[in-house]
Amino acid sequence: MIKKAILPVAGLGTRFLPASKSIPKEMVTVVDRPAIEYVVREAVEAGIEQIILVTHSSKASIENYFDRNFELETTLEQKKKFDLLKEITDILPKHVSVISVRQPQPLGLGHAVLCAKDIVGDEAFAVLLPDVLVKNNQYTENDLSLMIQRFQQSQASQIMVEAVPDHLVDQYGIVDVAVSPNEGESVIMQGIVEKPAVGSAPSNLSVVGRYILPAQIMALLETTPRGAGNEIQLTDAIAALQQSQTVEAYRMKGQTFDCGSKIGYLKAVLHYGIEHPKLGADFKGLIQELAL
Ligand code: G1P
């Protein structure tokens, strides 16, 4: 079973300045909770029990958010604000733990994942990039959970992908597949390349930022040279892994929101806002007012 998930949160979030100057971009609020909580929820829904934050000294508020806050809990209890107390104590189910490790230098996503090597040990694990929110609804089962099921059947690493317009391929990892998989299905991947130039990409299937990887990827990351952007790329280690193991591309069913970008973030607020159990109806009303 896949029980551990690495969430690389050390990035400084330059795409989200000025907000990210003093708030970690992962703590920017989507409706009424920080973006990172949606990613942690997604992982927990898929059966993850240990969240490993690969973080930076400026981002302690992320760790604090998932920790207990005794003073606040006591105050809410004394004031008999039990609904709010429940909200803050339910953020993380009891069986889930959050631990953190620092990424001492900004050497890229591959390096961030490698920082968790000793914590994952010899277990296969998930990686979730917290800039991207993956939204599944009652019609689309949690994609991460489907990837984990597929990994358990095939023992092949799983890379979540979605189609992007051809002119955007240079912003993503892009996979090479003989036949494009249907949504909810995995196919063997023939190659993967980080941010190819427009016109030279092997497909339009982009890496979303959800991976199921074997522990052996850590040894490969240790010898992965700097690649695109002069950073140690997870994509390059996955390409190396393919030399010895089958890697599959899983095509997601749900919807993605790139909360690392301002417009993607606003879109996420709209979509999560209209579905909020308490605020949704009023929020929809506001949107209708504006549309007049
Ligand atoms: C990272 C990965 C890339 C992936 C993307 C998804 O890139 O390296 O392969 O497609 O996340 O958001 P970044 O956005 O950190 O440059």
Side-chain angles (χ1 to χ4, degrees):
M1 287 296 274
I2 306 290
K3 293 290 171 200
K4 298 183 178 182
I6 300 175
L7 276 61
V9 296
L12 295 180
T14 45
R15 286 194 297 159
F16 221 92
L17 284 169
S20 54
K21 184 180 174 209
S22 62
I23 312 170
K25 63 181 168 27
E26 296 81 4
M27 291 302 292
V28 172
T29 315
V30 176
V31 192
D32 61 352
R33 53 203 66 237
I36 185 99
E37 187 180 333
Y38 294 85
V39 182
V40 168
R41 272 194 200 176
E42 176 196 346
V44 170
E45 265 174 42
I48 297 297
E49 294 182 355
Q50 188 176 54
I51 304 287
I52 304 162
L53 300 172
V54 179
T55 188
H56 179 265
S57 57
S58 65
K59 297 199 154 189
S61 60
I62 302 177
E63 287 147 285
N64 294 345
Y65 187 76
F66 292 107
D67 196 0
R68 301 284 298 267
N69 182 332
F70 182 73
E71 198 178 351
L72 180 59
E73 286 176 27
T74 311
T75 309
L76 292 174
E77 210 168 342
Q78 280 166 358
K79 295 192 169 171
K80 302 202 184 321
K81 298 199 168 179
F82 297 115
D83 284 359
L84 288 176
L85 179 63
K86 187 167 159 34
E87 284 264 14
I88 64 157
T89 50
D90 281 359
I91 288 172
L92 212 57
K94 302 272 176 292
H95 70 282
V96 178
S97 59
V98 175
I99 57 172
S100 60
V101 57
R102 293 274 175 93
Q103 183 182 17
Q105 286 171 285
L107 298 181
L109 175 59
H111 176 256
V113 170
L114 183 57
C115 290
K117 177 175 185 264
D118 291 341
I119 306 170
V120 299
D122 56 9
E123 286 174 47
F125 58 92
V127 176
L128 290 88
L129 306 189
D131 275 356
V132 180
L133 304 189
V134 172
K135 188 165 177 298
N136 291 107
N137 55 33
Q138 65 268 39
Y139 308 110
T140 58
E141 201 180 329
N142 180 305
D143 278 303
L144 187 68
S145 155
L146 292 172
M147 280 170 87
I148 292 176
Q149 285 170 30
R150 175 72 189 181
F151 173 81
Q152 268 143 14
Q153 288 157 6
S154 66
Q155 291 303 305
S157 301
Q158 301 290 316
I159 314 296
M160 194 190 287
V161 297
E162 71 172 341
V164 288
D166 289 336
H167 69 279
L168 296 179
V169 290
D170 58 353
Q171 297 181 15
Y172 302 95
I174 300 289
V175 301
D176 185 1
V177 285
V179 189
S180 194
N182 291 322
E183 289 179 5
E185 287 177 10
S186 296
V187 291
I188 293 178
M189 223 173 71
Q190 293 164 330
I192 184 167
V193 53
E194 184 67 16
K195 304 192 174 89
V198 172
S200 69
S203 75
N204 70 341
L205 292 177
S206 73
V207 174
V208 165
R210 303 291 185 269
Y211 313 77
I212 306 295
L213 296 169
Q216 293 95 306
I217 194 89
M218 294 297 188
L220 294 168
L221 282 167
E222 278 175 329
T223 55
T224 301
R226 289 180 189 229
N230 200 29
E231 293 184 336
I232 298 170
Q233 295 290 349
L234 182 58
T235 297
D236 295 342
I238 294 169
L241 181 70
Q242 273 194 305
Q243 306 302 315
S244 59
Q245 291 189 16
T246 306
V247 177
E248 294 183 336
Y250 166 84
R251 186 159 181 182
M252 65 180 303
K253 296 176 167 188
Q255 202 179 356
T256 55
F257 300 97
D258 178 9
C259 279
S261 86
K262 292 175 187 176
I263 199 76
Y265 162 76
L266 290 173
K267 195 171 167 190
V269 172
L270 288 177
H271 282 254
Y272 286 93
I274 59 172
E275 285 188 10
H276 190 280
K278 289 184 187 151
L279 305 169
D282 286 348
F283 190 54
K284 261 189 199 164
L286 286 179
I287 295 170
Q288 276 158 2
E289 263 177 44
L290 281 175
L292 285 175

